[in-house]
Amino acid sequence: MRIDLKQEIIKLVELQKIDSQIYALTRKKDIDNPIILSKIKNEFQEKAKILEEFEISAKETQINKKEKELDLATKEAAISKSNTQLYQLKTNKEYQAKLSEISSLKADISVLEDAVLTVLEKIEQAQAQLKKQREKVAQYEKESKEKENEILNEQKEIEIQLKIAQDKRGKISRDVDKAILSKYERLLNSRSGLALAPVNHDSCGACFLRTNHKTINEIKMYKDLIFCDSCVRILYIPEDIEG
Ligand SMILES: [Zn+2]
């Protein structure tokens, strides 16, 4: 049976419109959106990690404070013990030695008290930073969730659009000559979802190679499929097809 090649190309042009849609939707669903989703997740994890470091540092400062306070309490207990002992000592020498021990303890305590004050200041700073950081991360988490939901909703919407496009594609492709369809689909798969190229201003609409008159005349004869010499897509003349 002789096929009407022009009619076949008209169907292919229709098919290509839908296939381009399907290609773009699939790319978005399987590549672009998953990349965005993983980026959102990674960025949030980075922020959460910074917060965790703040938490650890704040905890360490608290431990440091407890150590210093414990040290302080030990030294204070030692002083009060020494003070009681002071009145039980028999000799002046022992008494002088105890006094010097007490004075040394007092000096230590004074240093420790300063250290505790410094630590308290640090804790205050750390708590303020921590609070700010927690708020920041909470806000970021909220925004991330919103962005994520937006993308997930878009994914669902794409699924629906894809289903519609696939149905349309099925209907159109059923009518295309099998051999031509198989050539078209091979090109579609190997040429980034674009098997057909219009000749615009004497150039291939896909790769922009100039087409000579001989090629254009061959296309217009509709005896064989004519391919671009460079990108090997099926060429067609839009004015001829759509007009
Ligand atoms: Zn080309």
Side-chain angles (χ1 to χ4, degrees):
M1 189 189 85
R2 189 80 191 92
I3 55 158
D4 182 342
L5 193 58
K6 188 174 179 181
Q7 283 308 311
E8 294 305 309
I9 291 179
I10 289 173
K11 285 180 241 167
L12 286 186
V13 170
E14 273 307 296
L15 199 56
Q16 178 66 73
K17 275 185 199 157
I18 293 169
D19 279 330
S20 291
Q21 242 182 53
I22 292 176
Y23 184 81
L25 288 169
T26 307
R27 207 196 131 82
K28 195 156 202 196
K29 178 172 92 68
D30 294 343
I31 299 172
D32 298 345
N33 279 348
I35 287 174
I36 296 174
L37 284 173
S38 88
K39 220 172 140 190
I40 292 173
K41 194 167 268 171
N42 285 344
E43 275 172 4
F44 175 69
Q45 271 168 355
E46 265 171 44
K47 296 263 192 301
K49 200 166 176 253
I50 294 172
L51 175 63
E52 203 182 310
E53 279 160 15
F54 269 100
E55 305 263 13
I56 289 170
S57 149
K59 233 174 243 163
E60 279 169 357
T61 322
Q62 289 284 5
I63 291 169
N64 192 239
K65 178 188 158 228
K66 282 217 178 84
E67 280 170 357
K68 294 227 162 19
E69 282 172 344
L70 195 67
D71 212 1
L72 199 59
T74 312
K75 294 231 151 74
E76 272 164 353
I79 285 195
S80 93
K81 194 179 163 200
S82 296
N83 275 333
T84 3
Q85 285 169 343
L86 209 52
Y87 302 101
Q88 295 154 8
L89 296 173
K90 305 278 185 292
T91 69
N92 190 43
K93 201 180 162 198
E94 279 174 332
Y95 189 79
Q96 288 307 326
K98 196 44 91 179
L99 274 185
S100 130
E101 196 186 307
I102 290 172
S103 133
S104 156
L105 278 169
K106 277 184 178 161
D108 287 351
I109 284 175
S110 164
V111 170
L112 273 171
E113 277 171 348
D114 282 348
V116 168
L117 281 180
T118 309
V119 171
L120 281 174
E121 255 168 52
K122 264 193 200 156
I123 287 176
E124 213 172 291
Q125 280 168 6
Q127 290 303 333
Q129 274 178 331
L130 198 56
K131 187 167 173 271
K132 222 187 261 171
Q133 205 61 31
R134 277 187 189 136
E135 283 166 2
K136 238 173 151 178
V137 170
Q139 177 64 22
Y140 198 82
E141 187 172 22
K142 197 177 146 233
E143 285 168 11
S144 298
K145 266 268 162 288
E146 280 167 9
K147 268 190 237 160
E148 201 180 84
N149 284 337
E150 223 172 85
I151 301 285
L152 291 176
N153 284 337
E154 194 182 41
Q155 293 290 74
K156 279 182 208 153
E157 186 52 43
I158 290 176
E159 298 265 7
I160 296 168
Q161 286 176 12
L162 269 176
K163 176 88 184 52
I164 295 169
Q166 295 285 10
D167 284 351
K168 249 196 226 168
R169 178 184 210 281
K171 278 181 199 131
I172 297 173
S173 65
R174 220 176 290 145
D175 289 339
V176 180
D177 172 80
K178 292 288 163 284
I180 291 176
L181 183 66
S182 125
K183 262 184 205 157
Y184 165 87
E185 284 179 340
R186 258 206 312 277
L187 283 172
L188 197 69
N189 290 328
S190 60
R191 303 236 166 353
S192 310
L194 196 65
L196 240 55
V199 175
N200 293 327
H201 309 292
D202 294 339
S203 298
C204 166
C207 75
F208 307 110
L209 179 81
R210 283 201 80 77
T211 38
N212 55 38
H213 280 284
K214 187 176 158 278
T215 307
I216 290 174
N217 284 334
E218 279 172 351
I219 300 171
K220 285 182 170 170
M221 282 163 77
Y222 296 103
K223 273 174 78 184
D224 287 303
L225 290 176
I226 306 299
F227 301 90
C228 169
D229 283 340
S230 169
C231 70
V232 206
R233 291 185 171 95
I234 301 165
L235 292 172
Y236 71 97
I237 317 266
E239 300 81 25
D240 236 22
I241 298 299
E242 286 153 8

